[in-house]
Each structure stands twice: as structure tokens, then as C-alpha cells.
Amino acid sequence: MDPTEKYFQRLYPNHSSYSRLFFRHGEQARREAVHQWLGTTEGIDILDAGCGDGRFLRSVLAGTPNKVQLEDLVTGNVTLACAHLQGFATEVKGITRNAIGALEERHDLVLAVGILDYQPKWKEALATLILRTRGILIANLPRATHPRNLARYSWLRMNGLHLNLIRHAPLKATLRTIGLPFDLRATSLEWFIKIDCQGESQHAHHLG
């Protein structure tokens, strides 16, 4: 079993104080950041890459999507996410897999909140997510300077996992190499990225 999968199968999702401290802290700021870019979700096709329990996606929907596809490494997360999204989209589909490695279809909106945190090759992972997007990609990465992220880094390292800690200048330089329109905003904990992939996903190979 993949070490990341094993770790999150053991510890997430749950509603303990530990989970809130390391994984759910800052969710209101995340919702506000995504809402700024999302617009209506009425009638569109959404991929939630690394869906967790689905509560975050449900909280930011603005209209009824035609389809929501929920992907996560952990089967329990996918099951919970499907239950939480039932009735909020015309079709809800759950798949247990690594969303980074799947390329068979593209979506109007790809939401990738929390999935790039643990990718040692996050630039390549971002390129894959671009290839899965025919519209807008919204993703995030941890900011290097926040004490909570430094604590997460130490904890995850002790458990054999990687956590990216990202600074503004290198991130912006990377996004400029893609050749796609992008926006970059900050919360106290994270960088939020919006990339307009409409008709231009062939540029993703520039990352890496």
C-alpha cells in the first residue's frame, strides 16, 4: 500500500481535535478563496481530485452540477464523499484511485484542494491535473512560512511522508512557464492557484 494511502486510511477522515488541527484548520479561508473564482456550478462537470469526505466540495457548490466525480486514495473517503454529495448533483460518481495518474477524461472544473501538498514532484502532478481539465483548475499548496505548516512538515516527516512548503517567487515563476492564464492568491496558510485550461492543455508538458 502507498505510504500516503496508508497514513490517511488510518487518520482521515475524522473529526478529532488532531484532525482539525492539521487538516481542517483554515477551511473557511479555503472556501472564501475558492468562492472568489468558482462562479456558477450549474450544469457543469466537476472532478474533485483528492475529495476527502466531500464536505468541502459540497460547501462551495453554487448550483447543481451535471456530474460530480469524486476521486481519492482511500475507499472510505470516497464512500463518505458520495453520500455527502447525493442530491447535490445530477450524477455522482466515486472512484478509489490516485487522481494524479488518471488521464482518460477531462472536466469543466477540477478542484484539487490538499492533493498537491504531499506530492514530491508537485510540478508534474500539477501538469497532470491540467491535462484533466477542459475549463478551470483550482488547486492549492502550503505556504512555506506559516508555523502550522512547519509543524505539519515535521509531523509528516516523522511518519514517512513529504509535505511541500512553497514560497511565492518560485511558485509564480513555475506558473508563468505553463503558458496558460493564471491567478495566484494567498490565505494565511496556503497559496491558491486558478489556471484557465480551456483549449490549451497541451502546454502542460512545460512543467516538470
Side-chain angles (χ1 to χ4, degrees):
M1 182 183 292
D2 178 90
T4 305
E5 178 184 356
K6 184 177 181 180
Y7 181 81
F8 283 102
Q9 199 156 33
R10 180 165 53 93
L11 291 177
Y12 181 91
N14 66 68
H15 300 282
S16 67
S17 58
Y18 171 85
S19 174
R20 289 194 298 271
L21 177 66
F22 282 100
F23 302 109
R24 295 191 179 276
H25 184 82
E27 285 211 350
Q28 181 58 37
R30 293 187 189 102
R31 283 192 289 270
E32 291 172 0
V34 171
H35 270 303
Q36 290 177 358
W37 289 329
L38 200 55
T40 181
T41 55
E42 186 72 30
I44 68 171
D45 175 0
I46 300 174
L47 168 65
D48 191 351
C51 61
D53 62 13
R55 293 173 185 268
F56 183 81
L57 174 59
R58 190 177 71 180
S59 74
V60 299
L61 290 177
T64 303
N66 181 55
K67 179 181 177 182
V68 166
Q69 185 158 308
L70 304 159
E71 297 185 8
D72 199 280
L73 287 171
V74 181
T75 300
N77 288 358
V78 175
T79 301
L80 278 172
C82 287
H84 287 145
L85 270 298
Q86 284 298 329
F88 288 85
T90 303
E91 178 185 355
V92 176
K93 181 179 181 181
I95 305 176
T96 302
R97 68 178 175 192
N98 184 352
I100 299 299
L103 292 173
E104 75 278 7
E105 59 183 314
R106 297 169 68 197
H107 305 265
D108 299 318
L109 170 69
V110 173
L111 187 65
V113 175
I115 194 171
L116 294 179
D117 294 27
Y118 314 102
Q119 302 293 326
K121 298 181 179 179
W122 68 266
K123 296 177 186 179
E124 294 178 13
L126 180 61
T128 299
L129 292 170
I130 291 171
L131 291 170
R132 301 201 67 186
T133 311
R134 62 171 172 250
I136 299 298
L137 166 64
I138 298 176
N140 69 328
L141 283 159
R143 295 183 68 176
T145 54
H146 197 284
R148 191 177 297 271
N149 289 334
L150 297 174
R152 285 179 65 204
Y153 176 87
S154 297
W155 173 260
L156 290 167
R157 187 174 181 182
M158 286 190 297
N159 284 272
L161 274 73
H162 175 82
L163 180 71
N164 292 305
L165 295 175
I166 307 298
R167 295 184 180 274
H168 179 262
L171 176 56
K172 194 167 186 178
T174 295
L175 294 173
R176 283 174 171 163
T177 68
I178 300 172
L180 296 172
F182 72 89
D183 197 359
L184 178 62
R185 299 181 184 178
T187 69
S188 62
L189 284 169
E190 295 156 317
W191 302 110
F192 270 83
I193 305 159
K194 174 189 173 186
I195 301 175
D196 184 350
C197 305
Q198 298 179 67
E200 297 289 348
S201 62
Q202 66 270 20
H203 289 285
H205 69 271
H206 290 295
L207 284 173

